[in-house]
């Protein structure tokens, strides 16, 4: 069973679609706090689940994204949620592609953030294997030390210590084994490039202008491959624009929902 945060789920029967928020690695549903607040104010139903082993979600050995999306589908069915706008950031974007490939009938629209469709190349896989071994040996602080210098914009590091501290706190609440298992799921994901041409629902891309991990050029390339999609680049934001510039991010999210008829 997956743990999750939710708002207004009693309203799903009258809503065109519920917002499904899929979190980034190595974070949790807590990263979506600002978005849940904005959606709550707008009266829009939303659910933000946690991956296996995080924030009370059941543990699962050697899981992959197909396993996780099967569990997501079961959760949506249990909650009588028929269709969703899926919002996926980084790892959550990989999962959004998997959801489209497995259960496209459940997807009303997509908001893809700071993610990529390509499978890892050999250099990336080698880096992931090294990361997994190190985190299993040294624990969550190793994940923080390896990632922290690359995930935020320069302005966030200098002006928003609370965001940096939140990242550290979410990561260090997890065990090294949980973080390693999640990284293994990322490393084993399938390539989604060919699936881009099959996406027929409304799509909005959002990315931080200063993202080092998935540069804006990567997101722009996907945008060009999905006719009718929209791209927003957020200044003074790195890999986590929803945390670094929540007001700007929320404005784009709410505009997407307004255009598809799911929010005011």
């Amino acid at each position: 069973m997956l743990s999750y945060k939710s708002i207004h789920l009693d309203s799903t029967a009258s809503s065109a679609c519920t917002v499904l928020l899929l979190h980034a690695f190595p974070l949790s549903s807590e990263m979506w706090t600002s978005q849940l607040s904005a959606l709550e104010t707008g009266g829009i139903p939303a659910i933000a689940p946690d991956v296996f082993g995080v924030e009370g979600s059941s543990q699962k050995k050697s899981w992959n994204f197909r396993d996780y999306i099967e569990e997501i589908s079961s959760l949506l069915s249990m909650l009588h949620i028929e269709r969703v706008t899926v919002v996926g950031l980084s790892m959550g974007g990989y999962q959004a592609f998997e959801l489209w490939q497995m259960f496209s009938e459940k997807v009303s629209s997509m908001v893809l953030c700071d993610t990529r469709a390509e499978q890892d190349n050999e250099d990336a896989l080698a880096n992931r294997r090294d990361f997994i071994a190190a985190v299993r040996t040294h624990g969550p602080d190793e994940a923080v030390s390896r990632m922290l210098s690359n995930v935020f914009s320069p302005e966030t590091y200098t002006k928003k210590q609370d965001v940096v501290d939140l990242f550290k706190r979410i990561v260090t609440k997890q065990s090294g084994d949980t973080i390693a298992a999640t990284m293994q799921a990322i490393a084993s994901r399938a390539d989604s490039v060919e699936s881009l041409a099959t996406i027929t629902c409304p799509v909005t891309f959002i990315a931080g202008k200063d993202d080092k991990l998935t540069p804006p050029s990567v997101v722009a390339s996907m945008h060009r491959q999905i006719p009718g999609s929209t791209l927003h680049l957020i200044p003074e934001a790195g890999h986590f624009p929803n945390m670094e510039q929540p007001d700007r991010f929320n404005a784009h999210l709410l505009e997407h929902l307004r255009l598809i008829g799911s929010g005011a």
Side-chain angles (χ1 to χ4, degrees):
M1 185 69 180
L2 299 178
S3 63
Y4 60 89
K5 294 177 174 59
S6 65
I7 48 132
H8 295 310
L9 290 191
D10 57 338
S11 304
T12 56
S14 61
S15 174
C17 77
T18 299
V19 177
L20 171 65
L21 298 157
L22 300 178
H23 68 79
F25 172 87
L27 300 177
S28 72
S29 59
E30 191 172 355
M31 69 171 271
W32 296 118
T33 297
S34 175
Q35 286 68 55
L36 287 168
S37 178
L39 293 168
E40 183 172 29
T41 299
I44 302 167
I47 181 168
D50 298 289
V51 298
F52 295 114
V54 173
E55 293 288 351
S57 282
S58 59
Q59 298 278 353
K60 187 176 182 69
K61 291 190 67 175
S62 302
W63 62 274
N64 57 42
F65 288 160
R66 291 188 67 83
D67 297 327
Y68 184 57
I69 294 305
E70 288 279 6
E71 197 72 14
I72 290 285
S73 178
S74 296
L75 176 62
L76 295 178
S77 296
M78 183 188 74
L79 296 171
H80 307 290
I81 299 171
E82 295 184 359
R83 304 188 75 199
V84 296
T85 281
V86 56
V87 182
L89 196 152
S90 192
M91 175 180 73
Y94 307 153
Q95 294 162 355
F97 290 133
E98 195 72 47
L99 178 63
W100 176 261
Q101 291 164 23
M102 294 176 67
F103 300 106
S104 61
E105 72 280 1
K106 294 181 183 289
V107 180
S108 291
S109 69
M110 306 176 79
V111 179
L112 300 170
C113 317
D114 299 87
T115 193
R116 66 177 71 233
E118 294 88 356
Q119 198 172 30
D120 288 336
N121 60 30
E122 283 304 315
D123 287 343
L125 287 172
N127 288 334
R128 294 200 192 280
R129 287 190 291 267
D130 180 66
F131 183 100
I132 289 167
V135 170
R136 287 197 189 280
T137 300
H138 302 293
D141 287 335
E142 180 72 13
V144 171
S145 66
R146 284 174 173 246
M147 296 184 68
L148 190 58
S149 63
N150 290 317
V151 294
F152 295 123
S153 71
E155 289 81 6
T156 299
Y157 290 115
T158 59
K159 300 176 183 178
K160 298 188 175 182
Q161 186 61 42
D162 59 324
V163 174
V164 177
D165 290 343
L166 177 60
F167 175 84
K168 294 178 182 178
R169 181 168 61 80
I170 296 175
V171 177
T172 54
K173 285 171 66 176
Q174 302 174 41
S175 70
D177 285 343
T178 291
I179 294 171
T182 306
M183 177 60 95
Q184 183 57 51
I186 293 172
S188 67
R189 75 188 188 280
D191 193 274
S192 297
V193 172
E194 290 187 3
S195 72
L196 293 175
T198 73
I199 298 175
T200 53
C201 66
V203 177
T204 292
F205 290 97
I206 305 174
K209 276 190 174 180
D210 298 322
D211 190 347
K212 296 178 183 178
L213 301 181
T214 52
S217 59
V218 172
V219 182
S221 175
M222 292 188 292
H223 163 55
R224 289 193 294 270
Q225 294 177 69
I226 301 179
S229 64
T230 302
L231 170 62
H232 301 288
L233 297 180
I234 297 182
E236 299 185 8
H239 195 57
F240 300 119
N242 70 305
M243 297 166 63
E244 299 174 75
Q245 297 291 338
D247 290 344
R248 289 170 173 162
F249 185 97
N250 293 347
H252 294 314
L253 173 58
L254 292 172
E255 177 66 4
H256 173 91
L257 296 172
R258 185 189 68 78
L259 290 173
I260 67 165
S262 296

